[in-house]
Amino acid sequence: MNDDNLHDPQRRMVLGGMAGGVAAAGFAGAAQAQTPEEAAAGTPLAEMRDPQTAYPQPPFEEQRQEWPGLASEMTPVPDHGEESYRGSGRLAGRRALITGGDSGIGRAAAIAYAREGADVAINYLPEEEQDAKQVVALIEEAGRTAVAIPGDITDPAFCRELVERAVEELGGLDILVNNAGFQQSAASIEDISDENFDATMKTNIYAPFWITKAALPHMEAGASIIITASVVAEDPPENLFDYSQTKAANVIFAKALAKQLGSRGIRVNAVAPGPFWTPLQVVGGQPTEAIPEFGSDTVFGRPGQPVEIAPLYVLAASAESRYSTGQVFEATGG
Ligand code: NAD
Ligand code: MG
């Protein structure tokens, strides 16, 4: 898809209309010379607010769910942009596959992509159907095609089937977001079972390898591959020995693959979150007693909400960042 002419106001209006009512209203407003204040009032995420107090701060209620957990059962429920993300046609007509698209960071990316005009396939585990159904409804409300493909990505055969189904039902693939992840806190290397170590490696390193390898034959110049790494790749906490190694591997995935795929015009970037309020953390990702103070050690003193990192996934996928590859885009709270 060529969007070189996005600066053309007429074309932007058309694309805005394609992206659904909300985006269309945004574009219409822009064409009628809205004041910046009027534009901001309709875009809650972009309102000028103090980042320290813009979202819930510690202490949080101590909570624990069975893995893989549901966003809808967290207190407070995370903000994935359901009410606050406003699109502007930046991914008009693109086709995206997002793993872990049911909850947390992947869900925020899915909502943002749909509101930016993309059709979106999400992968998740069957136990997460309840969260996934909400995401499907939100993508459809944005006027886009939603494809739900539950299944376990620690199985290489399923990873290949996942890509085939996404390509078939979306009619192609322009954006791949390797975002699903597994994280279990353990005080010592001696407390990590072989099974848990294996699950962490398979989910965080093998699955992106299997999925990306299967997806590449379907991707053309201009396509974008994104992997969710983490701030722990640079500064590993002592309780995340195995997980931190996988996130460092995710950074190298982006940097090394970017070199291989440059000559095909395919970009590969990583997004590195700091602490975000998602199910991953309350299913054993942190010790349960650490949840009340989760995110308090950042500059802003609170965890990020998934919607606050969605713009980086949009930027990495959009042609606006076409000179960026092998990069790590961070949202760490400082
Ligand atoms: P999340 O629990 O909402 O998302 C993780 C998703 O991974 C789950 O929804 C699930 O669908 C998927 N998943 C896990 N194992 C799977 C399997 N075997 N098969 C299929 N799907 C599976 O939590 P999140 O925090 O949004 O996590 C998304 C990504 O962000 C992960 O890669 C994680 O490592 C990364 N990350 C999170 C934080 C944070 O603080 N929340 C910080 C840095 C990086
Ligand atoms: Mg989930």
Side-chain angles (χ1 to χ4, degrees):
M1 168 104 194
N2 176 352
D3 53 4
D4 283 332
N5 52 354
L6 271 177
H7 64 277
D8 173 344
Q10 283 307 322
R11 176 157 162 79
R12 288 170 65 206
M13 291 287 287
V14 171
L15 290 175
M18 279 168 58
V22 171
F27 278 112
Q32 287 157 17
Q34 254 182 344
T35 66
E37 288 73 19
E38 281 166 349
T43 313
L45 188 61
E47 273 169 26
M48 185 161 152
R49 296 179 62 182
D50 183 340
Q52 301 171 99
T53 52
Y55 279 106
Q57 298 161 283
F60 298 105
E61 201 177 287
E62 194 172 291
Q63 54 202 285
R64 172 101 192 197
Q65 291 184 42
E66 284 301 306
W67 179 83
L70 290 174
S72 50
E73 287 180 11
M74 291 181 73
T75 311
V77 172
D79 183 351
H80 308 91
E82 288 87 346
E83 308 291 334
S84 54
Y85 191 90
R86 180 71 53 94
S88 56
R90 295 163 75 192
L91 300 175
R94 302 293 212 287
R95 298 151 302 184
L97 168 61
I98 304 175
T99 64
D102 60 303
S103 60
I105 292 165
R107 175 182 179 135
I111 293 169
Y113 282 9
R115 293 187 186 170
E116 295 289 355
D119 293 330
V120 184
I122 58 166
N123 161 250
Y124 52 93
L125 288 159
E127 300 95 301
E128 299 172 302
E129 191 62 43
Q130 190 185 319
D131 275 352
K133 277 208 166 83
Q134 295 173 352
V135 179
V136 165
L138 287 158
I139 294 167
E140 289 174 348
E141 272 167 37
R144 308 308 311 180
T145 298
V147 183
I149 314 176
D152 186 343
I153 59 168
T154 63
D155 172 4
F158 172 72
C159 287
R160 292 187 272 273
E161 187 189 316
L162 166 65
V163 171
E164 290 314 313
R165 278 193 55 194
V167 167
E168 195 180 306
E169 297 193 35
L170 295 173
L173 192 63
D174 308 302
I175 302 165
L176 169 63
V177 183
N178 287 296
N179 166 76
F182 185 65
Q183 171 186 329
Q184 290 289 293
S185 167
S188 162
I189 184 173
E190 294 159 306
D191 299 330
I192 301 173
S193 68
D194 290 357
E195 290 73 24
N196 254 7
F197 186 85
D198 195 52
T200 305
M201 298 296 148
K202 289 262 168 61
T203 313
N204 300 0
I205 300 180
Y206 282 61
F209 166 70
W210 290 322
I211 293 167
T212 304
K213 204 171 143 184
L216 266 175
H218 304 284
M219 302 184 93
E220 294 175 2
S224 175
I225 298 170
I226 299 163
I227 191 160
T228 302
S230 170
V231 68
V232 305
E234 286 170 31
D235 187 10
E238 63 179 286
N239 64 321
L240 296 177
F241 168 77
D242 50 352
Y243 173 81
S244 300
Q245 293 181 63
T246 68
K247 293 289 128 176
N250 294 164
V251 170
I252 298 303
F253 172 101
K255 292 188 178 187
L257 196 58
K259 289 181 178 168
Q260 284 190 10
L261 299 183
S263 59
R264 287 162 69 170
I266 298 173
R267 300 184 299 116
V268 191
N269 291 291
V271 175
F276 274 77
W277 188 246
T278 71
L280 186 89
Q281 305 296 353
V282 301
V283 298
Q286 298 295 331
T288 306
E289 63 276 13
I291 293 297
E293 289 305 315
F294 184 66
S296 60
D297 58 352
T298 61
V299 167
F300 294 141
R302 66 165 177 91
Q305 291 295 323
V307 68
E308 295 180 286
I309 200 165
L312 296 187
Y313 286 85
V314 171
L315 178 66
S318 150
E320 292 166 313
S321 66
R322 73 164 61 94
Y323 199 60
S324 297
T325 194
Q327 312 288 317
V328 182
F329 296 96
E330 296 192 355
T332 64

